[in-house]
Amino acid sequence: MHQNLLRNMRFIFILILLLSAGCSKHHQVFLEPSLPIHDSNIGSNIPIALYVEDARSSNTIAKWKKGFRKFSISSQNDLREIFSIKLQQGLKKLGFLPKVHRRNPDHSLKVDILYIKSKYSERVPRMDIKVQAKLRATCNNNGKKYSKTYSAHKKRTGIPPATFPNENLLNANLSEILAQIFTDKALLSCLVE
């Protein structure tokens, strides 16, 4: 009887372990924000050193756990690379000549990725999602400095679970922040002086 009890306990332990592992899932999203800005020659071919830093503690965008079910979401690619490319494209559209990672503390634009998160709540058969992001842009131009934190958040309620992990909503949120950066008159003024 003691042997049967130990065997049953082992079986239950293994079953619980398999169920908990089987209900864990990691998702990767492809972040590719758009640049909602118009071409301009405001930059007058001024070269600018561009730096992008990821100040987040991890690449995780979301974590969710309910009972035995849990998931996590992260970016498929390095966000520094994604934002570096997008910021280069944006600066070029505005007429600047971006130089990535070239040391020029006298004329530079540094962008810090501070926060990108998604939060999910389940309301069977639907779900709610809240997406938030923050970036900080700092311009240095021959002693003049301008720094500002840009943020955006979007919330959708009652969406079908089939849209999970809502890559489009994350990209729309990041696109909104890029638009804020490239239309900030004080930042542009710092870059062109």
Side-chain angles (χ1 to χ4, degrees):
M1 177 155 161
H2 182 66
Q3 240 178 359
N4 283 341
L5 182 61
L6 283 175
R7 194 176 307 139
N8 286 340
M9 286 177 58
R10 269 193 233 136
F11 175 75
I12 290 171
F13 176 75
I14 290 171
L15 183 63
I16 289 172
L17 188 63
L18 287 173
L19 284 175
S20 65
C23 296
S24 287
K25 185 122 180 156
H26 179 74
H27 301 273
Q28 289 190 315
V29 290
F30 183 67
L31 296 181
E32 181 69 23
S34 62
L35 283 171
I37 58 171
H38 299 290
D39 289 352
S40 167
N41 60 359
I42 191 172
S44 302
N45 291 324
I46 298 171
I48 295 175
L50 176 63
Y51 310 96
V52 178
E53 297 292 330
D54 192 348
R56 300 172 307 142
S57 60
S58 79
N59 195 28
T60 303
I61 294 171
K63 280 187 177 183
W64 186 78
K65 183 177 180 180
K66 189 172 184 179
F68 287 116
R69 296 182 320 161
K70 58 185 174 179
F71 70 81
S72 63
I73 299 172
S74 65
S75 173
Q76 191 173 19
N77 299 328
D78 179 13
L79 286 182
R80 286 178 307 181
E81 179 79 20
I82 293 167
F83 279 104
S84 183
I85 290 168
K86 288 299 172 181
L87 290 164
Q88 284 179 71
Q89 290 171 352
L91 288 168
K92 285 178 183 175
K93 284 183 87 159
L94 294 176
F96 293 98
L97 296 174
K99 307 292 183 190
V100 180
H101 304 299
R102 294 257 173 95
R103 293 284 176 215
N104 184 2
D106 294 331
H107 200 182
S108 65
L109 175 63
K110 181 181 179 205
V111 176
D112 295 298
I113 305 165
L114 302 175
Y115 186 82
I116 299 175
K117 290 289 180 192
S118 290
K119 294 182 182 175
Y120 297 86
S121 57
E122 196 175 39
R123 295 184 307 135
V124 177
R126 302 281 186 179
M127 66 188 327
D128 299 338
I129 178 175
K130 184 177 183 180
V131 176
Q132 296 177 297
K134 286 183 186 178
L135 301 179
R136 180 177 51 239
T138 304
C139 164
N140 284 300
N141 190 351
N142 295 313
K144 182 178 180 182
K145 183 175 181 176
Y146 176 80
S147 186
K148 183 176 178 182
T149 299
Y150 304 88
S151 63
H153 67 278
K154 297 192 178 300
K155 184 176 183 178
R156 299 287 185 263
T157 58
I159 58 175
T163 63
F164 179 84
N166 300 284
E167 190 172 79
N168 290 339
L169 191 60
L170 282 162
N171 282 316
N173 197 47
L174 297 174
S175 298
E176 183 178 322
I177 292 177
L178 287 175
Q180 290 174 27
I181 291 172
F182 287 121
T183 57
D184 182 345
K185 290 184 174 148
L187 179 66
L188 294 175
S189 174
C190 177
L191 292 172
V192 297
E193 285 184 2

